[in-house]
Amino acid sequence: MIRIAALNASSAVEDDPEGTLKSHKSQTKEAQEAEAFALYHQALDLQKHDLFEESAKAYHELLETHLLREAVASGDEREGLKHPGLMLKYSTYKNLAQLAAQRDNIETAMEFYLEAVLLDSTDVNLWYKIGHVALRLTRLPLARHAFEEGLACNPDHWPCLDNLITVLYTLSDYTTCLYFICKALEKDNSYSKGLVIKEKIFEEQPCLRKDSLRMFLKGDLPVCDVPVSASETQTILEEALELRRKRQALMARKNEPDLKLAQPISLFTYVSTQCGLVTELEISRREFDGHLLASHNL
């Protein structure tokens, strides 16, 4: 009887190969998840102990695991990060960004933050960090986008609102800036940055005082602004103006030296210009051939 029962059990397994395969896949997936989570906690522990290189290496190893490589975002924000691999990948990118930022590798930090936001764009804190890093890189349009997206996630997130007002003034988008100043003053009618930048905008473009009057009256704001000290006013304006100067410096064209031809162009005609350029091209070709011959002789 025992022998027959054993044969029957074996036969049952053979009769249901699909069920056996599913069970094996389930066990394999559980093992992959356990391995990935163990590696993540190892990297996290190294990060907590300020072992940056070791931690970054562990995070990169984690990204190469099968569980994370097969985890692809669906594109539907309503689904969230249901896949364990997506959750780990999202956290890993954020932690790698934090490690890079701590070592002042701002470009790399931005790359990892952007990878993270592609997986989940509903985290207001992540958008704020992207905006903050963008400010350090003087990428003001990106900073603006990040802070606006952060406010779309949470309209009451004050750091996003506060920084967005500075960025909008720096970008000279005064109308939008006044709109968000109004929103900020509705939350705090003594908000000094809003009061200072509002008056600065009106000073630069007086017509906006009248145009935006209805907006501020609609917000049921006090008629008299709260006074702001001269030193605080200067600090607030200097922050925005310094950002503007940095951006202008980055956008300024570098003066390229004039091209010096071996055969100067005597007449500004098509034939004379062509002869000068052909001569220059011939000289460059001979120099290149000479360098090539010298390298072969070596």
Side-chain angles (χ1 to χ4, degrees), residues 256-296:
E256 298 291 339
D258 294 334
L259 178 64
K260 293 183 179 180
L261 301 177
Q263 179 180 323
I265 300 173
S266 55
L267 297 173
F268 292 103
T269 63
Y270 175 78
V271 175
S272 180
T273 303
Q274 185 183 36
C275 289
L277 293 176
V278 168
T279 302
E280 193 69 25
L281 183 62
E282 184 63 26
I283 292 172
S284 298
R285 187 184 65 79
R286 286 200 299 267
E287 289 179 352
F288 176 77
D289 290 343
H291 288 306
L292 193 62
L293 182 61
S295 64
H296 280 302

mmCIF file of all heavy atoms in Angstrom, residues 256-296:
data_model
loop_
_atom_site.group_PDB
_atom_site.id
_atom_site.type_symbol
_atom_site.label_atom_id
_atom_site.label_comp_id
_atom_site.label_asym_id
_atom_site.label_seq_id
_atom_site.Cartn_x
_atom_site.Cartn_y
_atom_site.Cartn_z
ATOM 1 N N GLU A 256 34.684 84.089 -29.187
ATOM 2 C CA GLU A 256 35.601 83.206 -29.892
ATOM 3 C C GLU A 256 36.626 84.045 -30.656
ATOM 4 O O GLU A 256 36.288 85.082 -31.229
ATOM 5 C CB GLU A 256 34.835 82.315 -30.874
ATOM 6 C CG GLU A 256 33.831 81.382 -30.213
ATOM 7 C CD GLU A 256 34.506 80.295 -29.401
ATOM 8 O OE1 GLU A 256 35.705 80.033 -29.669
ATOM 9 O OE2 GLU A 256 33.847 79.717 -28.523
ATOM 10 N N PRO A 257 37.886 83.616 -30.656
ATOM 11 C CA PRO A 257 38.907 84.382 -31.401
ATOM 12 C C PRO A 257 38.641 84.340 -32.902
ATOM 13 O O PRO A 257 38.106 83.359 -33.431
ATOM 14 C CB PRO A 257 40.210 83.647 -31.049
ATOM 15 C CG PRO A 257 39.781 82.269 -30.650
ATOM 16 C CD PRO A 257 38.441 82.418 -30.011
ATOM 17 N N ASP A 258 38.990 85.412 -33.579
ATOM 18 C CA ASP A 258 38.801 85.472 -35.027
ATOM 19 C C ASP A 258 39.701 84.454 -35.716
ATOM 20 O O ASP A 258 40.827 84.180 -35.272
ATOM 21 C CB ASP A 258 39.131 86.871 -35.550
ATOM 22 C CG ASP A 258 38.144 87.912 -35.038
ATOM 23 O OD1 ASP A 258 37.005 87.522 -34.724
ATOM 24 O OD2 ASP A 258 38.530 89.093 -34.937
ATOM 25 N N LEU A 259 39.182 83.885 -36.789
ATOM 26 C CA LEU A 259 39.949 82.916 -37.565
ATOM 27 C C LEU A 259 41.045 83.646 -38.353
ATOM 28 O O LEU A 259 40.770 84.593 -39.089
ATOM 29 C CB LEU A 259 39.020 82.172 -38.538
ATOM 30 C CG LEU A 259 39.685 81.156 -39.464
ATOM 31 C CD1 LEU A 259 40.301 80.016 -38.658
ATOM 32 C CD2 LEU A 259 38.671 80.610 -40.471
ATOM 33 N N LYS A 260 42.272 83.210 -38.144
ATOM 34 C CA LYS A 260 43.398 83.815 -38.859
ATOM 35 C C LYS A 260 43.810 82.897 -40.005
ATOM 36 O O LYS A 260 44.174 81.740 -39.788
ATOM 37 C CB LYS A 260 44.576 84.035 -37.908
ATOM 38 C CG LYS A 260 44.291 85.080 -36.836
ATOM 39 C CD LYS A 260 45.507 85.330 -35.963
ATOM 40 C CE LYS A 260 45.208 86.399 -34.918
ATOM 41 N NZ LYS A 260 46.395 86.661 -34.052
ATOM 42 N N LEU A 261 43.744 83.413 -41.205
ATOM 43 C CA LEU A 261 44.073 82.631 -42.390
ATOM 44 C C LEU A 261 45.531 82.827 -42.783
ATOM 45 O O LEU A 261 46.100 83.912 -42.612
ATOM 46 C CB LEU A 261 43.171 83.040 -43.555
ATOM 47 C CG LEU A 261 41.659 82.866 -43.333
ATOM 48 C CD1 LEU A 261 40.895 83.391 -44.537
ATOM 49 C CD2 LEU A 261 41.315 81.414 -43.074
ATOM 50 N N ALA A 262 46.121 81.753 -43.301
ATOM 51 C CA ALA A 262 47.512 81.847 -43.771
ATOM 52 C C ALA A 262 47.609 82.803 -44.950
ATOM 53 O O ALA A 262 48.602 83.510 -45.124
ATOM 54 C CB ALA A 262 48.022 80.461 -44.162
ATOM 55 N N GLN A 263 46.572 82.809 -45.782
ATOM 56 C CA GLN A 263 46.517 83.740 -46.913
ATOM 57 C C GLN A 263 45.355 84.697 -46.662
ATOM 58 O O GLN A 263 44.199 84.359 -46.897
ATOM 59 C CB GLN A 263 46.296 82.980 -48.229
ATOM 60 C CG GLN A 263 46.208 83.899 -49.451
ATOM 61 C CD GLN A 263 45.986 83.109 -50.731
ATOM 62 O OE1 GLN A 263 46.525 82.018 -50.887
ATOM 63 N NE2 GLN A 263 45.195 83.663 -51.640
ATOM 64 N N PRO A 264 45.643 85.883 -46.145
ATOM 65 C CA PRO A 264 44.568 86.829 -45.814
ATOM 66 C C PRO A 264 43.712 87.145 -47.032
ATOM 67 O O PRO A 264 44.185 87.152 -48.172
ATOM 68 C CB PRO A 264 45.330 88.070 -45.335
ATOM 69 C CG PRO A 264 46.677 87.565 -44.945
ATOM 70 C CD PRO A 264 46.974 86.431 -45.867
ATOM 71 N N ILE A 265 42.442 87.402 -46.759
ATOM 72 C CA ILE A 265 41.514 87.751 -47.831
ATOM 73 C C ILE A 265 41.689 89.233 -48.155
ATOM 74 O O ILE A 265 41.423 90.102 -47.322
ATOM 75 C CB ILE A 265 40.062 87.457 -47.402
ATOM 76 C CG1 ILE A 265 39.909 85.961 -47.092
ATOM 77 C CG2 ILE A 265 39.077 87.881 -48.477
ATOM 78 C CD1 ILE A 265 38.569 85.590 -46.507
ATOM 79 N N SER A 266 42.153 89.486 -49.363
ATOM 80 C CA SER A 266 42.440 90.871 -49.748
ATOM 81 C C SER A 266 41.183 91.604 -50.198
ATOM 82 O O SER A 266 40.987 92.782 -49.892
ATOM 83 C CB SER A 266 43.489 90.895 -50.870
ATOM 84 O OG SER A 266 43.051 90.092 -51.965
ATOM 85 N N LEU A 267 40.338 90.889 -50.916
ATOM 86 C CA LEU A 267 39.096 91.487 -51.402
ATOM 87 C C LEU A 267 37.915 90.665 -50.883
ATOM 88 O O LEU A 267 37.970 89.431 -50.869
ATOM 89 C CB LEU A 267 39.071 91.507 -52.939
ATOM 90 C CG LEU A 267 40.155 92.344 -53.623
ATOM 91 C CD1 LEU A 267 40.103 92.123 -55.128
ATOM 92 C CD2 LEU A 267 39.972 93.827 -53.293
ATOM 93 N N PHE A 268 36.876 91.346 -50.461
ATOM 94 C CA PHE A 268 35.709 90.646 -49.933
ATOM 95 C C PHE A 268 34.786 90.230 -51.078
ATOM 96 O O PHE A 268 33.671 90.724 -51.234
ATOM 97 C CB PHE A 268 34.970 91.525 -48.922
ATOM 98 C CG PHE A 268 35.763 91.754 -47.667
ATOM 99 C CD1 PHE A 268 36.417 92.956 -47.459
ATOM 100 C CD2 PHE A 268 35.891 90.754 -46.715
ATOM 101 C CE1 PHE A 268 37.165 93.171 -46.315
ATOM 102 C CE2 PHE A 268 36.638 90.957 -45.571
ATOM 103 C CZ PHE A 268 37.282 92.163 -45.365
ATOM 104 N N THR A 269 35.344 89.308 -51.882
ATOM 105 C CA THR A 269 34.576 88.744 -52.985
ATOM 106 C C THR A 269 34.511 87.238 -52.804
ATOM 107 O O THR A 269 35.270 86.653 -52.017
ATOM 108 C CB THR A 269 35.240 89.065 -54.336
ATOM 109 O OG1 THR A 269 36.539 88.450 -54.372
ATOM 110 C CG2 THR A 269 35.374 90.572 -54.530
ATOM 111 N N TYR A 270 33.619 86.603 -53.563
ATOM 112 C CA TYR A 270 33.455 85.156 -53.453
ATOM 113 C C TYR A 270 34.743 84.430 -53.827
ATOM 114 O O TYR A 270 35.180 83.509 -53.135
ATOM 115 C CB TYR A 270 32.309 84.703 -54.357
ATOM 116 C CG TYR A 270 32.136 83.198 -54.398
ATOM 117 C CD1 TYR A 270 31.515 82.519 -53.358
ATOM 118 C CD2 TYR A 270 32.621 82.469 -55.481
ATOM 119 C CE1 TYR A 270 31.380 81.142 -53.390
ATOM 120 C CE2 TYR A 270 32.487 81.085 -55.519
ATOM 121 C CZ TYR A 270 31.866 80.433 -54.474
ATOM 122 O OH TYR A 270 31.740 79.069 -54.509
ATOM 123 N N VAL A 271 35.380 84.859 -54.933
ATOM 124 C CA VAL A 271 36.589 84.188 -55.424
ATOM 125 C C VAL A 271 37.726 84.334 -54.421
ATOM 126 O O VAL A 271 38.428 83.368 -54.093
ATOM 127 C CB VAL A 271 37.000 84.761 -56.799
ATOM 128 C CG1 VAL A 271 38.333 84.156 -57.248
ATOM 129 C CG2 VAL A 271 35.923 84.483 -57.832
ATOM 130 N N SER A 272 37.926 85.543 -53.900
ATOM 131 C CA SER A 272 39.009 85.782 -52.949
ATOM 132 C C SER A 272 38.800 84.984 -51.663
ATOM 133 O O SER A 272 39.736 84.392 -51.119
ATOM 134 C CB SER A 272 39.102 87.279 -52.641
ATOM 135 O OG SER A 272 40.149 87.529 -51.723
ATOM 136 N N THR A 273 37.563 84.952 -51.179
ATOM 137 C CA THR A 273 37.246 84.191 -49.959
ATOM 138 C C THR A 273 37.467 82.704 -50.181
ATOM 139 O O THR A 273 38.034 82.001 -49.335
ATOM 140 C CB THR A 273 35.789 84.449 -49.538
ATOM 141 O OG1 THR A 273 35.593 85.848 -49.349
ATOM 142 C CG2 THR A 273 35.463 83.721 -48.242
ATOM 143 N N GLN A 274 37.039 82.207 -51.339
ATOM 144 C CA GLN A 274 37.205 80.788 -51.649
ATOM 145 C C GLN A 274 38.679 80.407 -51.709
ATOM 146 O O GLN A 274 39.086 79.371 -51.172
ATOM 147 C CB GLN A 274 36.518 80.467 -52.976
ATOM 148 C CG GLN A 274 36.534 78.978 -53.317
ATOM 149 C CD GLN A 274 35.908 78.695 -54.660
ATOM 150 O OE1 GLN A 274 36.061 79.484 -55.592
ATOM 151 N NE2 GLN A 274 35.200 77.583 -54.774
ATOM 152 N N CYS A 275 39.494 81.251 -52.331
ATOM 153 C CA CYS A 275 40.931 80.961 -52.426
ATOM 154 C C CYS A 275 41.567 80.904 -51.042
ATOM 155 O O CYS A 275 42.397 80.036 -50.745
ATOM 156 C CB CYS A 275 41.618 82.028 -53.283
ATOM 157 S SG CYS A 275 41.203 81.921 -55.038
ATOM 158 N N GLY A 276 41.189 81.838 -50.177
ATOM 159 C CA GLY A 276 41.744 81.860 -48.830
ATOM 160 C C GLY A 276 41.379 80.614 -48.041
ATOM 161 O O GLY A 276 42.223 80.023 -47.361
ATOM 162 N N LEU A 277 40.126 80.179 -48.146
ATOM 163 C CA LEU A 277 39.675 78.996 -47.408
ATOM 164 C C LEU A 277 40.281 77.715 -47.972
ATOM 165 O O LEU A 277 40.631 76.798 -47.218
ATOM 166 C CB LEU A 277 38.145 78.919 -47.444
ATOM 167 C CG LEU A 277 37.411 80.032 -46.679
ATOM 168 C CD1 LEU A 277 35.909 79.903 -46.879
ATOM 169 C CD2 LEU A 277 37.751 79.982 -45.191
ATOM 170 N N VAL A 278 40.412 77.637 -49.297
ATOM 171 C CA VAL A 278 41.025 76.453 -49.915
ATOM 172 C C VAL A 278 42.486 76.336 -49.490
ATOM 173 O O VAL A 278 42.979 75.243 -49.184
ATOM 174 C CB VAL A 278 40.897 76.518 -51.452
ATOM 175 C CG1 VAL A 278 41.773 75.453 -52.112
ATOM 176 C CG2 VAL A 278 39.442 76.334 -51.868
ATOM 177 N N THR A 279 43.187 77.463 -49.462
ATOM 178 C CA THR A 279 44.588 77.459 -49.022
ATOM 179 C C THR A 279 44.694 76.985 -47.576
ATOM 180 O O THR A 279 45.565 76.184 -47.223
ATOM 181 C CB THR A 279 45.190 78.872 -49.150
ATOM 182 O OG1 THR A 279 45.088 79.300 -50.513
ATOM 183 C CG2 THR A 279 46.645 78.886 -48.724
ATOM 184 N N GLU A 280 43.795 77.465 -46.720
ATOM 185 C CA GLU A 280 43.792 77.073 -45.307
ATOM 186 C C GLU A 280 43.517 75.581 -45.162
ATOM 187 O O GLU A 280 44.141 74.891 -44.349
ATOM 188 C CB GLU A 280 42.732 77.881 -44.550
ATOM 189 C CG GLU A 280 42.840 77.804 -43.040
ATOM 190 C CD GLU A 280 44.065 78.516 -42.508
ATOM 191 O OE1 GLU A 280 44.574 79.439 -43.178
ATOM 192 O OE2 GLU A 280 44.516 78.128 -41.411
ATOM 193 N N LEU A 281 42.600 75.076 -45.973
ATOM 194 C CA LEU A 281 42.263 73.656 -45.932
ATOM 195 C C LEU A 281 43.443 72.802 -46.377
ATOM 196 O O LEU A 281 43.728 71.749 -45.790
ATOM 197 C CB LEU A 281 41.047 73.394 -46.825
ATOM 198 C CG LEU A 281 40.502 71.964 -46.848
ATOM 199 C CD1 LEU A 281 40.015 71.558 -45.469
ATOM 200 C CD2 LEU A 281 39.363 71.844 -47.858
ATOM 201 N N GLU A 282 44.157 73.255 -47.394
ATOM 202 C CA GLU A 282 45.314 72.524 -47.897
ATOM 203 C C GLU A 282 46.425 72.487 -46.850
ATOM 204 O O GLU A 282 47.076 71.452 -46.643
ATOM 205 C CB GLU A 282 45.813 73.184 -49.185
ATOM 206 C CG GLU A 282 46.963 72.455 -49.864
ATOM 207 C CD GLU A 282 46.586 71.059 -50.333
ATOM 208 O OE1 GLU A 282 45.390 70.821 -50.590
ATOM 209 O OE2 GLU A 282 47.490 70.208 -50.425
ATOM 210 N N ILE A 283 46.648 73.592 -46.162
ATOM 211 C CA ILE A 283 47.670 73.637 -45.109
ATOM 212 C C ILE A 283 47.302 72.683 -43.979
ATOM 213 O O ILE A 283 48.145 71.937 -43.462
ATOM 214 C CB ILE A 283 47.824 75.080 -44.583
ATOM 215 C CG1 ILE A 283 48.429 75.979 -45.667
ATOM 216 C CG2 ILE A 283 48.688 75.109 -43.328
ATOM 217 C CD1 ILE A 283 48.429 77.451 -45.295
ATOM 218 N N SER A 284 46.043 72.680 -43.585
ATOM 219 C CA SER A 284 45.581 71.790 -42.511
ATOM 220 C C SER A 284 45.752 70.331 -42.905
ATOM 221 O O SER A 284 46.146 69.493 -42.089
ATOM 222 C CB SER A 284 44.109 72.077 -42.188
ATOM 223 O OG SER A 284 43.946 73.397 -41.733
ATOM 224 N N ARG A 285 45.480 70.022 -44.193
ATOM 225 C CA ARG A 285 45.619 68.640 -44.653
ATOM 226 C C ARG A 285 47.070 68.192 -44.610
ATOM 227 O O ARG A 285 47.384 67.073 -44.191
ATOM 228 C CB ARG A 285 45.062 68.510 -46.076
ATOM 229 C CG ARG A 285 44.995 67.066 -46.583
ATOM 230 C CD ARG A 285 44.537 67.018 -48.022
ATOM 231 N NE ARG A 285 45.500 67.655 -48.908
ATOM 232 C CZ ARG A 285 46.634 67.065 -49.323
ATOM 233 N NH1 ARG A 285 46.948 65.843 -48.903
ATOM 234 N NH2 ARG A 285 47.452 67.700 -50.131
ATOM 235 N N ARG A 286 47.988 69.081 -45.017
ATOM 236 C CA ARG A 286 49.408 68.730 -44.997
ATOM 237 C C ARG A 286 49.899 68.535 -43.564
ATOM 238 O O ARG A 286 50.692 67.639 -43.281
ATOM 239 C CB ARG A 286 50.225 69.826 -45.697
ATOM 240 C CG ARG A 286 50.079 69.827 -47.222
ATOM 241 C CD ARG A 286 51.236 70.567 -47.886
ATOM 242 N NE ARG A 286 51.284 71.970 -47.470
ATOM 243 C CZ ARG A 286 50.695 72.959 -48.148
ATOM 244 N NH1 ARG A 286 50.013 72.698 -49.256
ATOM 245 N NH2 ARG A 286 50.798 74.203 -47.727
ATOM 246 N N GLU A 287 49.419 69.378 -42.651
ATOM 247 C CA GLU A 287 49.803 69.229 -41.242
ATOM 248 C C GLU A 287 49.306 67.902 -40.684
ATOM 249 O O GLU A 287 50.016 67.214 -39.946
ATOM 250 C CB GLU A 287 49.243 70.393 -40.423
ATOM 251 C CG GLU A 287 49.940 71.721 -40.692
ATOM 252 C CD GLU A 287 49.330 72.847 -39.882
ATOM 253 O OE1 GLU A 287 48.276 72.609 -39.234
ATOM 254 O OE2 GLU A 287 49.892 73.962 -39.892
ATOM 255 N N PHE A 288 48.090 67.532 -41.053
ATOM 256 C CA PHE A 288 47.529 66.267 -40.579
ATOM 257 C C PHE A 288 48.324 65.083 -41.123
ATOM 258 O O PHE A 288 48.645 64.139 -40.400
ATOM 259 C CB PHE A 288 46.063 66.161 -41.009
ATOM 260 C CG PHE A 288 45.424 64.848 -40.656
ATOM 261 C CD1 PHE A 288 45.017 64.577 -39.354
ATOM 262 C CD2 PHE A 288 45.234 63.861 -41.626
ATOM 263 C CE1 PHE A 288 44.436 63.361 -39.029
ATOM 264 C CE2 PHE A 288 44.663 62.648 -41.310
ATOM 265 C CZ PHE A 288 44.260 62.400 -40.003
ATOM 266 N N ASP A 289 48.671 65.148 -42.425
ATOM 267 C CA ASP A 289 49.463 64.070 -43.026
ATOM 268 C C ASP A 289 50.828 63.968 -42.363
ATOM 269 O O ASP A 289 51.360 62.868 -42.161
ATOM 270 C CB ASP A 289 49.626 64.319 -44.530
ATOM 271 C CG ASP A 289 48.315 64.138 -45.287
ATOM 272 O OD1 ASP A 289 47.399 63.515 -44.717
ATOM 273 O OD2 ASP A 289 48.209 64.629 -46.433
ATOM 274 N N GLY A 290 51.396 65.127 -42.002
ATOM 275 C CA GLY A 290 52.701 65.119 -41.336
ATOM 276 C C GLY A 290 52.638 64.465 -39.970
ATOM 277 O O GLY A 290 53.505 63.662 -39.602
ATOM 278 N N HIS A 291 51.577 64.777 -39.205
ATOM 279 C CA HIS A 291 51.402 64.154 -37.882
ATOM 280 C C HIS A 291 51.169 62.656 -38.016
ATOM 281 O O HIS A 291 51.674 61.859 -37.219
ATOM 282 C CB HIS A 291 50.220 64.801 -37.158
ATOM 283 C CG HIS A 291 50.501 66.196 -36.681
ATOM 284 N ND1 HIS A 291 51.573 66.508 -35.880
ATOM 285 C CD2 HIS A 291 49.834 67.368 -36.898
ATOM 286 C CE1 HIS A 291 51.574 67.808 -35.615
ATOM 287 N NE2 HIS A 291 50.522 68.354 -36.229
ATOM 288 N N LEU A 292 50.418 62.270 -39.044
ATOM 289 C CA LEU A 292 50.121 60.853 -39.260
ATOM 290 C C LEU A 292 51.393 60.088 -39.608
ATOM 291 O O LEU A 292 51.639 58.984 -39.100
ATOM 292 C CB LEU A 292 49.087 60.724 -40.382
ATOM 293 C CG LEU A 292 48.427 59.355 -40.558
ATOM 294 C CD1 LEU A 292 47.641 58.984 -39.313
ATOM 295 C CD2 LEU A 292 47.518 59.362 -41.777
ATOM 296 N N LEU A 293 52.246 60.679 -40.455
ATOM 297 C CA LEU A 293 53.499 60.041 -40.846
ATOM 298 C C LEU A 293 54.436 59.915 -39.651
ATOM 299 O O LEU A 293 55.096 58.888 -39.461
ATOM 300 C CB LEU A 293 54.163 60.862 -41.959
ATOM 301 C CG LEU A 293 55.472 60.305 -42.531
ATOM 302 C CD1 LEU A 293 55.231 58.930 -43.152
ATOM 303 C CD2 LEU A 293 56.057 61.266 -43.562
ATOM 304 N N ALA A 294 54.471 60.956 -38.830
ATOM 305 C CA ALA A 294 55.333 60.930 -37.642
ATOM 306 C C ALA A 294 54.902 59.839 -36.673
ATOM 307 O O ALA A 294 55.734 59.150 -36.073
ATOM 308 C CB ALA A 294 55.300 62.294 -36.955
ATOM 309 N N SER A 295 53.592 59.649 -36.525
ATOM 310 C CA SER A 295 53.098 58.613 -35.609
ATOM 311 C C SER A 295 53.440 57.224 -36.121
ATOM 312 O O SER A 295 53.746 56.316 -35.351
ATOM 313 C CB SER A 295 51.584 58.755 -35.425
ATOM 314 O OG SER A 295 50.909 58.534 -36.648
ATOM 315 N N HIS A 296 53.437 57.038 -37.457
ATOM 316 C CA HIS A 296 53.803 55.736 -38.030
ATOM 317 C C HIS A 296 55.290 55.455 -37.824
ATOM 318 O O HIS A 296 55.687 54.316 -37.563
ATOM 319 C CB HIS A 296 53.472 55.701 -39.528
ATOM 320 C CG HIS A 296 52.018 55.441 -39.807
ATOM 321 N ND1 HIS A 296 51.370 54.319 -39.358
ATOM 322 C CD2 HIS A 296 51.087 56.162 -40.490
ATOM 323 C CE1 HIS A 296 50.109 54.344 -39.746
ATOM 324 N NE2 HIS A 296 49.907 55.469 -40.442
#
